[in-house]
Amino acid sequence: MAKTTELTHRLCTLIYFVIMAYCLLNAMYTVIIGGTTFYLFASFLLVLQLIFALRTSLNSRIYTSLGLVLLIVGLLYNHGLDFLSHLKAIILIPALMLTLFGLDSIYKHPTRLMLLKIGLVLGLLLLAYSQYYELVELQNYYNSLHNGETWQQFGAL
């Protein structure tokens, strides 16, 4: 049983890092072609939260919670008090899941831990989809300018 849980833990960790690598690359590409930098900032914070959430020390739990607070402050700065009605508020789902990893009561119940891992994967997939959606919107905006150039030539490319 110990080998099975260790294998699922490693598999989940690999899935987390693959999705976060996609989110980071997508956010960097969006910034390069002239999009918003919020997703890049948020992806860096989520990667740091993910690294600290996988550790079990008390300091890492504090840093994981600090990541959620920084994301809320960033959303407040960008969108004001109606930040929860914006598409970028999806970033709070994986941040909240990573913050919940710091609770001791989660590790005592393996079913709760597995549900939290599934929720984190789903939250990261939602984040990746919302980043992809905003990238498509940016491409469509550049396509609507109709000056004979492709959308890539409007950014830094």
Side-chain angles (χ1 to χ4, degrees), residues 39 87-88 90 125-135:
Y39 280 124
L87 179 66
K88 291 179 183 170
I90 289 177
L125 286 174
L126 278 172
L127 172 65
Y129 178 73
S130 68
Q131 283 184 347
Y132 177 76
Y133 176 75
E134 289 207 6
L135 180 64

Side-chain angles (χ1 to χ4, degrees), residues 23-111:
C23 289
L24 269 173
L25 290 174
N26 196 6
M28 283 186 218
Y29 185 65
T30 303
V31 169
I32 286 172
I33 65 170
T36 181
T37 59
F38 177 76
Y39 280 124
L40 185 64
F41 167 73
S43 295
F44 279 131
L45 277 177
L46 280 178
V47 166
L48 288 175
Q49 260 190 310
L50 186 59
I51 290 170
F52 286 122
L54 295 176
R55 297 181 182 177
T56 57
S57 68
L58 179 64
N59 291 337
S60 64
R61 292 179 188 160
I62 293 170
Y63 293 140
T64 304
S65 302
L66 184 65
L68 178 65
V69 171
L70 288 175
L71 285 174
I72 291 173
V73 168
L75 281 170
L76 280 171
Y77 177 74
N78 282 338
H79 303 290
L81 292 177
D82 62 342
F83 69 93
L84 288 177
S85 64
H86 201 271
L87 179 66
K88 291 179 183 170
I90 289 177
I91 197 77
L92 295 177
I93 295 171
L96 182 64
M97 296 289 178
L98 286 170
T99 304
L100 289 176
F101 268 115
L103 297 176
D104 287 331
S105 63
I106 297 293
Y107 287 102
K108 294 177 184 175
H109 302 286
T111 56

